[in-house]
Amino acid sequence: MATEEEANLAREQHADFLRDLGAHGIAVDEVRHKGEKTFAIIAFFKEKPDDVPSALEVKTGKRTLKVPVIPRLMEKFRPE
């Protein structure tokens, strides 16, 4: 289970990777994953790429943690 702080750290460390996959927005939110509440990275794509990982690793102190990644399809925001 990832804390909000750990999920934000993973988002910061892996933002360039997710953008390279085509993510136009990256957020952190509390979700249910495998029956437990945890924080996850929500990556927004115009079209879902095939190679989005199910989790990204982040190291906090001596422990390595996998933070879930949830892809969502959404049009890119354009100001009016």
Side-chain angles (χ1 to χ4, degrees):
M1 187 166 109
T3 65
E4 186 175 12
E5 183 179 299
E6 292 164 338
N8 274 311
L9 181 61
R11 180 186 54 80
E12 290 172 19
Q13 290 179 0
H14 298 286
D16 290 337
F17 169 73
L18 291 169
R19 281 191 205 101
D20 289 345
L21 291 178
H24 59 78
I26 305 166
V28 167
D29 202 2
E30 188 175 29
V31 299
R32 279 209 172 273
H33 183 73
K34 297 182 181 179
E36 293 185 22
K37 283 187 180 179
T38 186
F39 282 88
I41 298 170
I42 313 297
F44 296 96
F45 297 91
K46 183 175 179 181
E47 296 175 7
K48 184 181 174 190
D50 296 329
D51 50 356
V52 176
S54 61
L56 294 171
E57 287 189 355
V58 64
K59 194 168 191 170
T60 58
K62 293 183 179 181
R63 78 183 236 212
T64 301
L65 180 70
K66 289 190 177 198
V67 178
V69 177
I70 301 172
R72 295 277 189 242
L73 299 181
M74 180 182 281
E75 288 292 320
K76 189 172 181 178
F77 174 77
R78 284 190 228 137
E80 294 182 32

